[in-house]
Amino acid sequence: MGNREDLLEGAKRCLYERGYARTTARDIVAASGANLASIGYHYGSKEALLDAALIEAIAELSERWLQWSADGRAEPAEVWDRILGEFDAHRPLLVAHVEAWAQVERSPELKERFAKFYADQLARGVESSRTRRPDLDAGTARALSAVSGALADGLIVQWLINPDQLPSGREIAAGLRALADAIDEK
């Protein structure tokens, strides 16, 4: 790996160990084996490097979750249970993700990166939805992907605030069915 890749991997490790807000440039340098000047050379700033590391780490995690959903071997409730079961192992990354959300109003660059990330995730979710359910039209697959992504983000926040109140996969499925029924009644 070159310095750029080493810095990115070091920054990802720091996100897990220290979080987004508490990671310093020196932490990243220590974790990557690169020198301090290389952060500016390759990324422009520590924040840009952390943003890139965060987006890449979250994308890797999301990709694994999408693959579980697309493979079709488990019911959706089981997939949600599997995803929820990973929250503890990825707590520092999920906290860093939420910390970064708070910065998007003040950082046009981060906002742009998140917008691209969420657009990419939406497209991957559409692909995953149509793999599992080939009968879905494009608009419905997009809606399913968007709602699933919003649900995942909301569950992360709920879990961070009060993990004991996090619903199970079966409860999520039951709640979504009840919500769909309530919408259909209107």
Side-chain angles (χ1 to χ4, degrees), residues 59-186:
E60 290 166 357
L61 186 58
S62 295
E63 183 61 29
R64 183 166 63 243
W65 294 350
L66 281 170
Q67 287 174 356
W68 293 344
S69 177
D71 77 10
R73 290 182 280 187
E75 291 299 315
E78 294 168 13
V79 172
W80 279 110
D81 279 334
R82 198 169 172 192
I83 291 168
L84 299 173
E86 285 220 321
F87 283 9
D88 280 328
H90 298 282
R91 181 181 189 87
L93 179 63
L94 298 175
V95 168
H97 189 68
V98 173
E99 287 174 338
W101 287 343
Q103 303 304 313
V104 298
E105 270 311 297
R106 291 169 190 81
S107 172
E109 298 84 10
L110 181 59
K111 189 173 193 172
E112 185 177 316
R113 284 186 183 101
F114 266 118
K116 182 182 180 329
F117 166 75
Y118 278 107
D120 291 346
Q121 289 306 112
L122 181 64
R124 285 289 300 122
V126 168
E127 182 182 315
S128 174
S129 298
R130 294 187 90 182
T131 297
R132 186 174 178 107
R133 296 266 321 271
D135 60 310
L136 293 179
D137 63 76
T140 303
R142 185 186 184 289
L144 178 58
S145 177
V147 169
S148 296
L151 179 60
D153 286 344
L155 288 167
I156 289 167
V157 172
Q158 184 176 2
W159 169 77
L160 287 171
I161 293 168
N162 190 349
D164 295 334
Q165 294 297 310
L166 195 65
S168 69
R170 295 228 179 276
E171 291 169 324
I172 292 167
L176 289 172
R177 279 192 294 278
L179 180 59
D181 290 346
I183 291 169
D184 285 344
E185 290 174 5
K186 301 290 177 187

